[in-house]
Amino acid sequence: PPPAAPAAGGGGAGKGAVANGLGELAVGSYVSALMPSKGKYMNAIVTEVPVNGVATVMFLGFATTSQVATDSLQKPAFLHPVDLEKVQRVDGTVEGIYSGDGLWYTAKLTGIDKDGRYAVTYTLYGNSESLDIRHIRLDPATAPAKAAGGKEGGGASKRKSTEVEEPFDPNVEFVIPEKLKMLATDSEDIKAAKKKK
């Protein structure tokens, strides 16, 4: 949840104009900012208004802050209600930002409250709360399968998550399974089938 006031030592409680199409930035504004530890843009919330072209943001679900140039900020990308309807039809597994510590945890969608917030139950601890849709994302372990309308991807569902995806490691050798290796005795049909896999 957004802080009520900016942290000490900067900003102030005013607003700051931004030239990149985001309009006025204020404490509590949602943005997308480059997260240094991830090397990619992640949703964040402004915690200190821009001063001299720099704003302080807290990355949603990671509870880390960073000072970023306001001209590098982008519009945030959030789920839409239709996305959550699709997830609920499959198995209801998402990740939600737990209000107790501000981190992502695997949860099950359990309903929609009268105020439009989404009721979730965290699978690891069994506690429940209602979340704004901006504090919910697809479960990274099952997101590709859900996007295709399939079943769960088989990842562990009872876990705390801070990673959206595993980083690519170019030093890890890729090994072709024996059954997919091309053999001189394979027919063209078999070779074509192996290439598809």
Side-chain angles (χ1 to χ4, degrees), residues 57-77:
V57 299
M58 180 179 67
F59 293 97
L60 297 178
F62 295 95
T64 59
T65 61
S66 183
Q67 291 189 328
V68 295
T70 56
D71 62 357
S72 71
L73 297 175
Q74 299 177 1
K75 290 183 180 181

Side-chain angles (χ1 to χ4, degrees), residues 9-172:
K15 294 182 179 182
V18 177
N20 57 358
L22 291 174
E24 294 283 322
L25 285 182
V27 170
S29 296
Y30 287 94
V31 296
S32 182
L34 183 62
M35 187 173 185
S37 64
K38 298 272 182 214
K40 61 183 176 180
Y41 277 80
M42 305 292 286
N43 289 337
I45 191 164
V46 175
T47 58
E48 292 184 34
V49 294
V51 174
N52 298 323
V54 175
T56 302
V57 299
M58 180 179 67
F59 293 97
L60 297 178
F62 295 95
T64 59
T65 61
S66 183
Q67 291 189 328
V68 295
T70 56
D71 62 357
S72 71
L73 297 175
Q74 299 177 1
K75 290 183 180 181
F78 295 112
L79 292 176
H80 296 284
V82 70
D83 298 323
L84 294 180
E85 289 170 14
K86 289 177 185 176
V87 168
Q88 196 145 25
R89 283 194 300 262
V90 176
D91 70 355
T93 302
V94 295
E95 286 193 331
I97 299 175
Y98 174 56
S99 62
D101 62 11
L103 299 176
W104 292 110
Y105 290 90
T106 301
K108 291 279 187 181
L109 287 173
T110 57
I112 302 175
D113 296 342
K114 291 179 183 177
D115 64 358
R117 294 169 63 88
Y118 290 82
V120 299
T121 298
Y122 296 100
T123 57
L124 188 58
Y125 301 105
N127 51 328
S128 299
E129 68 180 328
S130 293
L131 299 175
D132 183 289
I133 196 168
R134 295 173 290 193
H135 294 182
I136 298 172
R137 70 179 182 186
L138 297 179
D139 181 3
T142 60
K146 286 180 186 166
K151 298 270 185 214
E152 195 168 323
S157 65
K158 290 190 173 185
R159 64 173 165 41
K160 173 179 159 182
S161 173
T162 56
E163 294 294 321
V164 173
E165 58 190 40
E166 290 295 317
F168 174 72
D169 186 351
N171 298 321
V172 174

